[in-house]
Amino acid sequence: MLDLKYFRQASLPEGIVEIPLEYVAQAHQWLIDQPSIDPNNIIIMGRSRGSELALLYAAKYPDLRMVVAEAPSSVVWFGWAEHKSSWSYQGKPVPYAEYTDEASIRIEQELKDKGLQYRDGPKFLSAFSSQEMIKTASIPVEEIQCPILLISGKDDQVWPSSMMAQLIVDRLQQHEFNYEFLHLDYANAGHNFGGGGQGCGIPFLPPENYAQGGAAKGGTTKGNALAASQSWAALLSFIKRHLR
């Protein structure tokens, strides 16, 4: 397994700002060149913002056995700098979606007025009111040339991953996608299920610590734990089914 870092590490950007897809391509080629690696069985997996990268990369580069996206996005979102995309390709920023400052201020006030804990989800959801922007920023998942596994929690409070996963499914169906695609959507699960609050659906790591504000990410302790365990088993089954 290669855990590819792409920001906040030595010699890497401090934030997610126009990260080049070519950087991932270099790591992909490095894997292909390793004598211990079967180049026909390379999988790319990403979660949350990493799901954007995984799906977008797979749409631009072939030679992958499958794509796994957890808490996924159907669109490319803004980068961690004003008026910047998260990713770039061939030297150009990838078109992206963003919510407005006005929507951000309004939603924060609404949550405060209702006595609700702050969460990002409503802000990301508000961006979908701009259909033209969403259309431009949507990831062309129909161009992926391998099976796709999508994993989401119905109570994701960070962003509407359940809805966005379904939008991906709808797009694949509309384009009569030639490979298997599967969306696993778990009730009472949030943005992070399993993995010590870091996600990745690994059931043997502690779940989100709700004492540290984890409720803003959604789900219950039991719901997240079940999603972690069940999605891990489903992931292994999906991989086994498609490996050569």
Side-chain angles (χ1 to χ4, degrees), residues 44-47 51 54-55 67-72 148-152:
I44 188 168
M45 178 176 180
R47 71 170 308 278
S51 75
L55 291 166
V67 183
V68 181
E70 185 182 287
I148 304 171
L149 176 62
L150 307 168
I151 305 172
S152 60

Side-chain angles (χ1 to χ4, degrees), residues 52-195:
E52 292 176 46
L53 182 56
L55 291 166
L56 186 62
Y57 178 81
K60 299 297 184 182
Y61 291 88
D63 300 325
L64 290 166
R65 174 50 43 201
M66 68 189 72
V67 183
V68 181
E70 185 182 287
S73 174
S74 58
V75 303
V76 169
W77 290 102
F78 54 91
W80 293 9
E82 192 172 6
H83 306 309
K84 294 287 187 178
S85 178
S86 295
W87 323 106
S88 69
Y89 177 58
Q90 296 182 343
K92 297 180 180 180
V94 178
Y96 63 94
E98 61 182 349
Y99 48 76
T100 65
D101 291 338
E102 291 77 10
S104 178
I105 294 170
R106 172 180 55 80
I107 290 167
E108 286 186 24
Q109 188 61 49
E110 288 175 353
L111 291 171
K112 184 177 180 180
D113 292 343
K114 294 177 182 178
L116 298 174
Q117 184 177 9
Y118 172 81
R119 68 283 310 274
D120 289 321
K123 294 184 179 182
F124 283 99
L125 185 61
S126 71
F128 283 84
S129 63
S130 177
Q131 295 184 6
E132 187 60 32
M133 177 181 66
I134 293 297
K135 180 180 178 181
T136 301
S138 290
I139 300 171
V141 290
E142 70 278 4
E143 297 177 11
I144 294 173
Q145 300 178 36
C146 61
I148 304 171
L149 176 62
L150 307 168
I151 305 172
S152 60
K154 291 181 182 293
D155 191 41
D156 190 335
Q157 297 296 319
V158 172
W159 65 13
S161 62
S162 179
M163 181 196 79
M164 292 192 289
Q166 187 56 49
L167 289 174
I168 292 172
V169 168
D170 293 343
R171 185 172 182 129
L172 293 173
Q173 291 175 335
Q174 290 165 7
H175 287 84
E176 299 182 348
F177 191 62
N178 289 326
Y179 303 87
E180 182 185 1
F181 54 93
L182 178 63
H183 176 204
L184 304 175
D185 197 21
Y186 294 95
N188 301 316
H191 192 72
N192 289 358
F193 36 89

